[in-house]
Amino acid sequence: MLRIARIDTVVWLLLSLPAWLVSAQSIASQAYTPVAGACPQGFSLVRMAGSTPGNQTLSSSESSYVQARRSQVIPQAWKTYLANVEATNVTLPSYVSSILGGNSPQTPNLGIATSGGGYRASIFGAGVLNALDARNASSNSAGTGGLLQSATYLAGLSGGSWLLTSLAQANFPTIQELVFGPLNPTVANNSWGGWNAAYGIAAPSDNPITDTEYITDLVDELKGKYDAGYPVTFADFWARALARHFVNGTFSSNFYDESYTHGAGILWSGVAETTSFTSYTIPFPIVVTDLDAPGQNASNDIPGDYIPISNPIMEFNVFEMGSFDPMLSAFAPTMYLGTRNNSVCITNYDQSALVAGSSSELFNEYNLTNTLSSTFGPVLALLDELLPESGIELDVVSWPNPFYGVAPDTFIASNQVYLSIVDGGEDGEVIPLQPLLVKARGVDTILAIDATADVNDFADGSSLIATQNRTMLLSPVYSFPPVPTSLSEFTAQNLSTRPTFFGCNTTNSNTSTPLLIYLANGGPPHNGEAPVTNTSTTQLSYDSSQIQAMLDQTFVIATQGFPATTSTPTDPEWPACLACAVVDRARERAGETRSGVCESCFARYCWDGSTLDVSTQTSSGTRAIGAVSGPRGGLGLALSVAIGVLVLM
């Protein structure tokens, strides 16, 4: 955390910089600059995706990838997972073994969603994925290894998008290598160096002169995009800072070295060229963002949040960006984002760091554009001096609008030249569930990882409540299993301090509703360890020992289950219960009756639908009880305090 005196020193240094220090473009600036060229023959910018469940369509590229993964990779992954579950010496019903072993025509379609919540969410999400990873011997011994390899989709938002984008563009390394980097790294622009978490995202050193030079370098890296005529906002600055942590090319040995590109030029669409993607090894990755637009319906805001749940949710997958929400139902190619027509195509706009930065863009919550006299004023003045712009909204990510003129009667940004993209959790949905509810994707089971900060930096269900509210608003396009309507109910029933299944029973009217496995960072593990995973969202740097402690405790949380008594720290049947949940929708399609250990598991892990007396309930929004810091607001506060008038907020 910066002291005020240090902030004042950095401000003075920034405002004293001669213009010539940032007059030349660095190689990172060149690599960050969008490029214009002729469009491919037969190019079409917009694909309409269908506005009702019955006519929704995936892109041909996504369909091909998913089909290949489900036929070439996932069958063996399910067998590996089954072997790990069976090794825990729990007797499974025959239908579970048949489905997972490939002897049934019905197979699960699993999606994993990892929430926002800053670095805490990145680390907790990484810890859960580690517990599901078949490459981890400890996960296999725990009976949970293999689920990651068996998933069809993997979605991330805000801090969860940092985890997801780094994992995908780094070619799907193990979690230990992802977080800490390789033991013997090759320092190069396209090599992975780890999260570099010891360097603060806001201010990487304790030396104001070093930080001033660093900030100047970041400004310089935006100059090429600025000179090319594109709007440059705080979010671009944020993206270049995130790139040092979550994109290839940065190591502790070259963190400040401007002879490297530090992730500039590494594109989200470029994930499709990695060997993990071309071999269908990685679940199909999706990053979630929100759309901010003039005239949005504030009456649909959840109290304490910023974006109405009636606004379309925008997703960035490797092939396309857009929304399945019925008010838009259109997509544009990710590779050609920045393009406005079918003749001149823009490439190099979809920087991986900008996609992650879009999903974690919180600056609009502080109204930077209209608050020049605030603590951000000196930095805004610096940007205005070095990269002067007029009429630009600085507190959002500006993406040229490929949907200009599309669905003018329903799409709120149809007449906007630029889309204003912000943090994917600003509507209260801090777990990226919406893309996994798209009926064309056919996901029947969702593992929802929740590391938001509802109460004392623990999660307590706010995001599920928000998703329930939104899917009701957009029914029947989406369907979602019933969940409690208030944080009070989550707390009273301990639904976030243990794994909980939602949607255990279907009816004729909701057969397409996925079963939800909710795994939250909702409290310390049951073995009596002091909690270490509820770090503040305001913490923007971590040393290796703290991260390892958090990963280790997350592993315990992910594998402990729901002990039958307080005297036992784990449920020995949890691996079987998790397997029962994963196959349950496939079981139902196969006409099998839930039986054996699965029957008793569902009796213990399923939410029974009970609610509290109305007089004891609190708000059903995202701010309801206890010492609530909000799922995202802490990150914005951290940046405003830590960077102060530095730059990033």
Side-chain angles (χ1 to χ4, degrees):
M1 197 67 67
L2 293 180
R3 297 180 179 178
I4 297 299
R6 183 182 158 209
I7 292 176
D8 291 340
T9 301
V10 174
V11 172
W12 179 84
L13 289 167
L14 284 171
L15 295 180
S16 302
L17 288 174
W20 61 265
L21 280 179
V22 291
S23 60
Q25 288 188 31
S26 66
I27 59 171
S29 175
Q30 297 172 38
Y32 190 72
T33 302
V35 177
C39 293
Q41 187 174 2
F43 176 79
S44 180
L45 178 59
V46 176
R47 179 184 74 85
M48 302 308 296
S51 58
T52 63
N55 69 358
Q56 282 179 343
T57 59
L58 305 179
S59 71
S60 58
S61 296
E62 178 182 341
S63 295
S64 296
Y65 184 87
V66 168
Q67 182 179 2
R69 177 167 168 76
R70 287 180 61 81
S71 63
Q72 299 178 32
V73 175
I74 287 181
Q76 182 56 50
W78 282 128
K79 292 177 182 178
T80 299
Y81 171 62
L82 172 63
N84 290 332
V85 176
E86 290 178 333
T88 63
N89 297 319
V90 176
T91 302
L92 295 170
S94 60
Y95 68 80
V96 176
S97 299
S98 177
I99 290 170
L100 295 179
N103 298 316
S104 169
Q106 300 297 331
T107 56
N109 190 5
L110 174 66
I112 300 174
T114 184
S115 81
Y119 246 135
R120 177 191 61 253
S122 300
I123 297 168
F124 185 82
V128 174
L129 294 188
N130 192 43
L132 307 179
D133 194 340
R135 297 169 295 183
N136 182 357
S138 297
S139 303
N140 294 337
S141 297
T144 54
L147 265 186
L148 175 59
Q149 282 72 19
S150 303
T152 305
Y153 290 97
L154 180 58
L157 179 159
S158 198
S161 78
W162 300 350
L163 164 61
L164 174 59
T165 56
S166 60
L167 183 69
Q169 62 85 52
N171 203 25
F172 198 40
T174 64
I175 295 302
Q176 286 292 124
E177 184 171 312
L178 177 74
V179 175
F180 300 111
L183 291 177
N184 298 298
T186 299
V187 179
N189 286 328
N190 291 317
S191 298
W192 177 242
W195 283 356
N196 298 306
Y199 297 88
I201 298 177
S205 81
D206 294 323
N207 186 320
I209 295 177
T210 299
D211 285 346
T212 300
E213 294 173 348
Y214 171 75
I215 290 165
T216 306
D217 289 339
L218 294 184
V219 173
D220 176 52
E221 292 171 13
L222 308 179
K223 194 172 187 300
K225 185 175 183 179
Y226 169 81
D227 288 342
Y230 295 95
V232 171
T233 72
F234 261 41
D236 289 286
F237 202 108
W238 175 232
R240 294 306 305 136
L242 290 177
R244 263 70 172 179
H245 302 270
F246 305 111
V247 186
N248 289 348
T250 302
F251 304 77
S252 60
S253 61
N254 76 340
F255 193 89
Y256 300 105
D257 188 343
E258 280 297 288
S259 67
Y260 291 85
T261 54
H262 295 291
I266 294 179
L267 309 179
W268 186 230
S269 59
V271 168
E273 300 173 3
T274 62
T275 57
S276 65
F277 198 88
T278 57
S279 62
Y280 313 111
T281 302
I282 187 172
F284 190 78
I286 303 172
V287 172
V288 172
T289 67
D290 279 344
L291 176 69
D292 192 8
Q296 58 198 15
N297 188 354
S299 66
N300 286 323
D301 284 359
I302 292 174
D305 288 306
Y306 294 84
I307 300 298
I309 57 174
S310 53
N311 280 19
I313 287 176
M314 310 297 289
E315 69 170 65
F316 289 74
N317 67 57
V318 173
F319 297 121
E320 291 187 316
M321 183 273 275
S323 179
F324 280 102
D325 289 346
M327 63 284 285
L328 177 57
S329 299
F331 285 83
T334 302
M335 178 185 295
Y336 295 109
L337 289 177
T339 301
R340 302 179 186 276
N341 54 55
N342 292 327
S343 56
V344 178
C345 277
I346 307 302
T347 56
N348 213 50
Y349 209 104
D350 65 306
Q351 303 277 326
S352 184
L354 187 61
V355 172
S358 296
S359 188
S360 57
E361 203 288 337
L362 292 163
F363 312 132
N364 61 306
E365 296 186 4
Y366 292 84
N367 200 16
L368 297 182
T369 301
N370 299 317
T371 318
L372 292 178
S373 61
S374 71
T375 56
F376 308 113
V379 169
L380 293 174
L382 175 68
L383 292 175
D384 186 55
E385 177 184 350
L386 301 177
L387 305 175
E389 300 171 291
S390 62
I392 299 299
E393 189 175 2
L394 294 176
D395 51 10
V396 299
V397 187
S398 289
W399 290 85
N401 185 4
F403 311 114
Y404 186 84
V406 174
D409 295 333
T410 56
F411 180 43
I412 194 171
S414 180
N415 65 347
Q416 300 297 304
V417 176
Y418 288 92
L419 296 177
S420 296
I421 299 298
V422 296
D423 186 287
E426 288 198 32
D427 64 350
E429 297 182 87
V430 190
I431 308 174
L433 294 169
Q434 210 72 43
L436 305 182
L437 301 177
V438 171
K439 297 194 176 182
R441 288 184 167 131
V443 173
D444 60 21
T445 310
I446 300 173
L447 196 156
I449 303 169
D450 191 359
T452 55
D454 292 322
V455 180
N456 299 323
D457 293 312
F458 283 122
D460 207 18
S462 67
S463 185
L464 298 188
I465 297 170
T467 299
Q468 177 171 249
N469 292 342
R470 189 173 194 271
T471 52
M472 291 173 64
L473 184 68
L474 297 179
S475 177
V477 176
Y478 303 111
S479 57
F480 190 66
V483 300
T485 58
S486 73
L487 300 190
S488 303
E489 293 174 321
F490 273 90
T491 302
Q493 299 178 61
N494 294 314
L495 300 179
S496 57
T497 59
R498 62 174 175 89
T500 303
F501 303 161
F502 294 99
C504 293
N505 299 309
T506 61
T507 65
N508 291 334
S509 62
N510 69 351
T511 54
S512 64
T513 302
L515 186 147
L516 184 73
I517 303 166
Y518 181 57
L519 184 58
N521 181 34
H526 299 301
N527 61 9
E529 289 181 5
V532 299
T533 60
N534 63 325
T535 54
S536 172
T537 315
T538 64
Q539 184 172 339
L540 298 179
S541 65
Y542 288 77
D543 61 40
S544 296
S545 61
Q546 185 178 17
I547 294 179
Q548 190 61 61
M550 293 176 69
L551 291 173
D552 291 344
Q553 189 165 96
T554 301
F555 184 91
V556 174
I557 292 170
T559 58
Q560 67 185 354
F562 182 29
T565 67
T566 56
S567 61
T568 56
T570 62
D571 176 9
E573 292 184 341
W574 168 237
C577 292
L578 182 58
C580 291
V582 166
V583 306
D584 198 66
R585 290 294 192 261
R587 169 203 63 79
E588 192 167 40
R589 292 193 300 270
E592 298 282 355
T593 300
R594 194 182 292 150
S595 62
V597 69
C598 291
E599 191 171 13
S600 60
C601 284
F602 272 59
R604 287 188 289 124
Y605 283 92
C606 288
W607 179 54
D608 61 9
S610 62
T611 58
L612 300 177
D613 180 81
V614 174
S615 63
T616 66
Q617 292 191 27
T618 56
S619 167
S620 62
T622 58
R623 316 294 196 272
I625 59 173
V628 180
S629 60
R632 302 162 321 286
L635 178 58
L637 176 62
L639 292 171
S640 64
V641 172
I643 305 171
V645 290
L646 282 177
V647 159
L648 295 181
M649 283 200 66

